Amino acid sequence: MGGLRKRLFWTGWDLGMGALVGILSGSASALFLWLLGRVIQLRVDHLWLVALLPVFGMAGTWLYQRWGQESERGGTLIMDEVIDFQGRVPTRMAPLVLVATLLSHLGGGSVGREGTAVQMGASLARTIGKLPWRWLRLTRSRQRLLLMAGVSAGFGSVFGTPVAGAIFGLEVIAIGKMHYEGLVVCAVASFVGNGVCQAWGIHHLHFHPAALAPSLPLALKLVLFAIPVALVAGLFSELTHGIARWTRRIIGNPYMRAAIGGLVIIALALILRTTAYLNLGTDWLPKVFEGTAPVVPWAFALKLLFTSLALGFGFKGGEVTPLFVIGALLGAALAPVFGLPIPFIAAVGFVAVFATASNTPIASTLLGVELFGAGFAAPLVITCFLAYVFVGHRGIYGGHRVGTPK
């Protein structure tokens, strides 16, 4: 009976604390998505704001120089804390990354939104962990679980994919290792966070590409498609980290680094005479999933370059939504090569490039099923799992530990 009472107590703890993390994270994601939509629309309506990208970059840098401290490490700090909890995730991380990401998007920076939501979720979860009430039983191991729950709640709520969010918080911490001890608290946090975000009136955009019937020729084509997926995901990771290392070494002043990065991005947009590769890049998705406009074959490479430059020069935001777009554009570019419908292979690329770059094939496959339907389960398993192996230990998250070598 003693063992049963203990299990019931900790299950109740997981349910209660997961729900609390979900409420806070879901509300934060709702606020962020609402503000983000208005900021991007403001940038679209006033094109001259792109010229201020260097200024917005320096403003975001000032925020982190003034108040950031450990917050500057972002997702890397969160992963380190889950592995070896030291209590270093500050409450200020949430407002800092929120404001800095909005500044990046106000100037057209090609960054995402998942990094912001995940950092806000983890920061708010850590804030709960600072409560002095002893009856909460906030031991070091339970503090780690709260951080994982914050990651799950942030991811699940910002994309409207609670199942994927629940697994993402368990899978993303270390390559090849699933942290099952957080299964219940992460699941509760992700589902509650998604529900709260929707209750605040946030609606996520969904597309409905048709799945193809399973067949041996299709499976062989997907095996081959996993190769360019791994190459593009690996290139994105290496280029982004390489630019970041190079700029820190060559341009020591962080304000100058942000200013030069903004100028480089503006110059590139002027050379190409387009703003299509700025911000999230989601305007490309109706073109590939619904065929509303033609897509040039090299669009994925340009979106990759714009995003790597923005992140490499220190602009705040996430990588996931740009990776979704890069993957969809890659699929559209290679559809004629493989003889597959553009919407179908674009949906597979949408998920697989992110799965490979983030080293989260299981969570990403579930994300694809939530977004596109169960008919995509088998194609995503083939492509995501193979590309995950092909890419090696490269990844977008600098704090990744290797739990099980590939």
Side-chain angles (χ1 to χ4, degrees):
M1 286 298 293
L4 177 60
R5 283 197 298 268
K6 184 177 180 180
R7 287 194 295 272
L8 289 174
F9 173 82
W10 287 121
T11 300
W13 188 96
D14 286 340
L15 294 173
M17 299 304 286
L20 181 56
V21 171
I23 291 170
L24 293 177
S25 299
S27 298
S29 291
L31 174 63
F32 169 55
L33 291 173
W34 183 82
L35 290 172
L36 181 62
R38 278 145 187 80
V39 163
I40 293 177
Q41 189 59 52
L42 183 64
R43 200 281 298 161
V44 171
D45 293 340
H46 302 281
L47 187 58
W48 57 267
L49 286 170
V50 176
L52 297 180
L53 181 59
V55 177
F56 296 140
M58 289 190 292
T61 299
W62 177 81
L63 288 174
Y64 275 85
Q65 290 292 311
R66 178 67 177 82
W67 290 292
Q69 299 177 10
E70 289 278 9
S71 300
E72 180 69 33
R73 297 180 60 211
T76 300
L77 174 63
I78 294 168
M79 293 181 190
D80 285 347
E81 285 291 285
V82 172
I83 298 297
D84 181 22
F85 182 79
Q86 300 293 327
R88 295 172 295 174
V89 177
T91 301
R92 68 175 70 92
M93 177 183 281
L96 280 174
V97 72
L98 171 65
V99 175
T101 301
L102 294 175
L103 286 170
S104 297
H105 279 289
L106 187 59
S110 179
V111 295
R113 52 193 175 182
E114 135 280 340
T116 305
V118 164
Q119 289 180 48
M120 288 194 301
S123 175
L124 292 169
R126 171 63 188 128
T127 301
I128 295 172
K130 295 177 182 178
L131 296 174
W133 303 325
R134 295 182 61 184
W135 56 271
L136 289 177
R137 305 289 183 90
L138 296 171
T139 61
R140 287 168 60 92
S141 62
R142 291 284 151 176
Q143 298 267 20
R144 293 175 55 251
L145 295 185
L146 283 180
L147 287 175
M148 292 166 61
V151 171
S152 287
F155 190 93
S157 60
V158 81
F159 294 123
T161 54
V163 176
I167 303 303
F168 184 80
L170 308 176
E171 188 180 20
V172 73
I173 305 303
I175 294 174
K177 180 179 180 181
M178 192 78 77
H179 290 259
Y180 287 107
E181 67 271 23
L183 188 60
V184 174
V185 70
C186 286
V188 172
S190 184
F191 276 88
V192 171
N194 178 60
V196 167
C197 188
Q198 292 183 354
W200 281 111
I202 298 300
H203 301 286
H204 302 280
L205 183 64
H206 289 280
F207 298 95
H208 304 283
L212 299 182
S215 67
L216 180 58
L218 175 60
L220 292 175
K221 291 178 180 180
L222 292 172
V223 168
L224 293 175
F225 182 55
I227 298 173
V229 165
L231 290 173
V232 168
L235 174 62
F236 178 86
S237 301
E238 291 295 322
L239 183 60
T240 302
H241 293 315
I243 292 173
R245 289 191 298 268
W246 181 81
T247 55
R248 290 192 187 100
R249 186 174 68 251
I250 301 300
I251 311 170
N253 187 298
Y255 298 100
M256 187 64 67
R257 190 159 58 241
I260 293 175
L263 291 173
V264 169
I265 293 169
I266 292 171
L268 190 57
L270 289 173
I271 291 170
L272 296 172
R273 298 184 179 182
T274 181
T275 59
Y277 302 100
L278 303 180
N279 294 113
L280 297 172
T282 50
D283 288 345
W284 288 100
L285 298 181
K287 299 178 183 179
V288 296
F289 288 130
E290 300 173 357
T292 58
V295 176
V296 296
W298 54 86
F300 77 91
L302 289 175
K303 183 60 179 172
L304 186 153
L305 178 59
F306 271 85
T307 306
S308 293
L309 285 170
L311 295 171
F313 274 95
F315 287 88
K316 299 300 178 183
E319 302 94 343
V320 175
T321 304
L323 281 169
F324 287 160
V325 175
I326 292 166
L329 292 173
L330 175 67
L334 295 179
V337 177
F338 291 103
L340 294 171
I342 289 178
F344 170 80
I345 197 66
V348 175
F350 178 103
V351 177
V353 169
F354 162 65
T356 309
S358 62
N359 287 290
T360 57
I362 299 174
S364 299
T365 298
L366 293 172
L367 177 143
V369 171
E370 288 184 281
L371 291 178
F372 302 125
F376 280 87
L380 289 174
V381 166
I382 294 171
T383 311
C384 293
F385 285 32
L386 281 174
Y388 164 81
V389 174
F390 291 159
V391 80
H393 296 136
R394 300 175 184 85
I396 54 177
Y397 301 120
H400 254 160
R401 312 279 183 95
V402 179
T404 303
K406 297 182 186 179

